[in-house]
């Protein structure tokens, strides 16, 4: 096995939080139990995806608010909140509130761009301003300004019996330093670096300088750090789908292999006009996956990861995968649980 350049310092996981539309509460409860399990296993962070107008977590901040009351140590993140769906001022209020409830453990991950299926949902999302909305980086700047406590209005003081602040309330000290940007292009990586943000890089990227996924990811990480005030110390977290099978049953292994097989064709070449590249899912024993990661050009540039749990698996599958990551794959990468 190739020797790692450095031990893995932080190990996290990401879940999409699916549910049955006939019983959505059960799916949300499963997500919260998985986050609790992650803390018990020593994971450093747990992250949730978003899904709007689908059968997944539509309000990740609300779910993480619940998670703050069922955990005490594990960092809680969003990967990522697409700001095209959000009002930055209102989101800043929600994020600060949840961060205070967590004791300073919230790691908001955000991204920009037009919401998916925008032509179909614009009239519901922005009935009066759909054509005027700006879905670029300015939305992130506004959010950061509000989180940092910059004035949102020129009015403050007392009106009647009401007391008003010119800044978003509450203020959560340190929250702005824990904002991440989910980028998949060189332009986004450079911009995130210039803003002093942390970078979430996942299993989906845009083919630009190369059609080799790992090399493209390495190049984007380098571009991010080249523009970041902290240079090589700037935080980057890599997110790939990993499925260790050490503790899996024969039935689970067959199910996992079929899942990976169904998704492998898309990894052969860039997809669509945007030239989107998908990383292959990594499946096998912890030792086999560790060897593949050590040979991965993107992984060799990071010392923290947020491994993505596969879509549409059962709760028991996630328990087995997380347990194997914490007890097998993590230690094989030099990680030690935070217990």
């Amino acid at each position: 096995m190739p020797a790692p350049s450095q031990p893995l310092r932080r190990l996290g996981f990401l879940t999409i939080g699916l549910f049955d539309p006939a019983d959505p509460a059960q799916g949300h409860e499963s997500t919260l139990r998985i986050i609790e399990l992650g803390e018990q296993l020593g994971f450093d962070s747990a992250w949730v995806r978003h899904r709007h107008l689908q059968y997944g977590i539509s309000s990740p901040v609300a779910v993480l608010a619940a998670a703050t009351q069922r955990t005490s140590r594990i960092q809680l993140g969003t990967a990522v909140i697409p700001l095209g769906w959000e009002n930055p001022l209102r989101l800043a209020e929600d994020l600060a509130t949840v961060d205070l409830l967590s004791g300073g453990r919230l790691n908001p991950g955000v991204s920009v761009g037009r919401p998916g299926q925008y032509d179909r949902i614009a009239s519901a999302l922005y009935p009066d301003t759909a054509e005027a909305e700006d879905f670029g980086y300015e939305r992130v700047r506004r959010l950061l300004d509000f989180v940092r406590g910059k004035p949102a209005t020129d009015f403050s003081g007392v009106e009647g019996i009401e007391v008003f602040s010119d800044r978003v309330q509450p203020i959560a000290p340190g929250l702005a330093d824990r904002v991440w940007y989910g980028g998949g292009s060189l332009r986004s990586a450079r911009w995130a670096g210039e803003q002093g943000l942390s970078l979430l890089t996942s299993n989906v990227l845009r083919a630009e300088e190369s059609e080799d996924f790992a090399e493209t990811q390495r190049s984007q990480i380098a571009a991010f750090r080249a523009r970041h005030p902290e240079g090589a110390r700037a935080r980057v977290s890599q997110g790939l789908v990993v499925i260790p099978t050490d503790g899996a049953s024969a039935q689970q292994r067959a199910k996992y292999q079929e899942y990976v097989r169904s998704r492998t064709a898309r990894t052969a070449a860039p997809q669509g006009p945007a030239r989107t590249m998908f990383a292959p899912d990594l499946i096998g024993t912890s030792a086999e996956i560790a060897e593949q990661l050590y040979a991965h050009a993107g992984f060799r540039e990071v010392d923290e990861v947020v491994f993505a749990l596969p879509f549409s698996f059962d709760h028991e599958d996630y328990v087995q995968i997380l347990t194997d990551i914490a007890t097998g794959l993590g230690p094989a990468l030099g990680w030690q649980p935070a217990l």
Side-chain angles (χ1 to χ4, degrees):
M1 181 183 298
S5 59
Q6 56 187 335
L8 188 67
R9 288 194 306 118
R10 293 187 179 96
L11 175 62
F13 67 91
L14 168 65
T15 179
I16 193 173
L18 299 174
F19 61 79
D20 181 343
D23 187 14
Q26 182 177 348
H28 283 70
E29 174 61 24
S30 172
T31 296
L32 291 170
R33 286 166 54 199
I34 287 297
I35 294 173
E36 288 182 285
L37 174 65
E39 177 162 280
Q40 293 163 12
L41 290 169
F43 279 87
D44 297 291
S45 61
W47 303 68
V48 292
R49 289 186 185 271
H50 84 99
R51 280 296 182 268
H52 292 299
L53 300 178
Q54 292 180 273
Y55 305 114
I57 295 173
S58 60
S59 183
V61 182
V63 170
L64 292 182
T68 68
Q69 305 304 293
R70 295 168 66 154
T71 59
S72 61
R73 175 197 55 77
I74 195 168
Q75 298 284 302
L76 303 169
T78 61
V80 290
I81 297 173
L83 293 185
W85 288 83
E86 305 289 342
N87 178 301
L89 189 151
R90 277 290 300 115
L91 180 60
E93 293 177 329
D94 288 347
L95 293 175
T97 299
V98 175
D99 189 50
L100 292 175
L101 289 172
S102 74
R105 292 185 285 136
L106 189 64
N107 286 253
V110 299
S111 66
V112 298
R114 283 166 60 93
Q117 306 290 329
Y118 189 63
D119 292 342
R120 293 185 171 95
I121 56 92
S123 61
L125 186 59
Y126 297 112
D128 302 314
T129 61
E131 298 304 317
E133 292 293 331
D134 177 6
F135 297 120
Y137 296 133
E138 182 59 29
R139 236 176 170 86
V140 184
R141 293 191 185 98
R142 288 172 58 203
L143 176 68
L144 288 171
D145 283 348
F146 295 139
V147 169
R148 288 168 176 156
K150 291 189 177 182
T153 173
D154 59 4
F155 171 73
S156 63
V158 179
E159 189 172 90
I161 62 171
E162 301 284 349
V163 180
F164 293 89
S165 168
D166 61 353
R167 292 167 172 79
V168 164
Q169 297 298 331
I171 297 294
L175 177 59
D177 297 329
R178 284 177 267 116
V179 176
W180 296 70
Y181 188 78
S185 69
L186 282 168
R187 177 171 178 259
S188 288
R190 290 171 180 143
W191 181 86
E194 292 167 354
Q195 307 308 307
L197 300 171
S198 299
L199 179 66
L200 289 167
T201 179
S202 72
N203 63 330
V204 183
L205 300 174
R206 182 175 298 172
E208 293 172 297
E209 297 179 335
S210 169
E211 292 188 3
D212 180 285
F213 183 94
E215 284 298 328
T216 296
Q217 191 167 66
R218 183 205 60 75
S219 177
Q220 290 182 5
I221 293 170
F224 165 74
R225 287 181 168 146
R227 301 291 183 93
H228 199 287
E230 296 186 8
R233 295 175 299 171
R235 290 182 68 183
V236 180
S237 182
Q238 184 197 45
L240 300 175
V241 176
V242 302
I243 311 176
T245 58
D246 307 77
S249 67
Q251 183 178 11
Q252 285 174 317
R253 288 193 186 96
K255 173 182 177 178
Y256 301 165
Q257 291 285 0
E258 175 56 26
Y259 175 84
V260 171
R261 185 205 62 77
S262 70
R263 288 160 48 94
T264 298
R266 67 178 188 164
T267 69
Q271 305 290 303
R275 291 178 55 77
T276 301
M277 290 196 301
F278 298 91
D281 302 329
L282 303 182
I283 186 171
T285 66
S286 291
E288 290 168 342
I289 294 175
E291 186 168 3
Q292 293 178 72
L293 287 170
Y294 286 148
H296 192 288
F299 178 81
R300 292 199 299 268
E301 296 297 320
V302 304
D303 61 4
E304 54 187 295
V305 294
V306 177
F307 289 136
L309 294 175
F311 294 178
S312 68
F313 280 15
D314 296 325
H315 183 87
E316 294 73 18
D317 301 329
Y318 294 140
V319 170
Q320 175 263 312
I321 291 171
L322 285 180
T323 301
D324 280 358
I325 291 175
T327 60
L329 179 56
L333 298 172
W335 171 79
Q336 296 182 352
L339 298 175

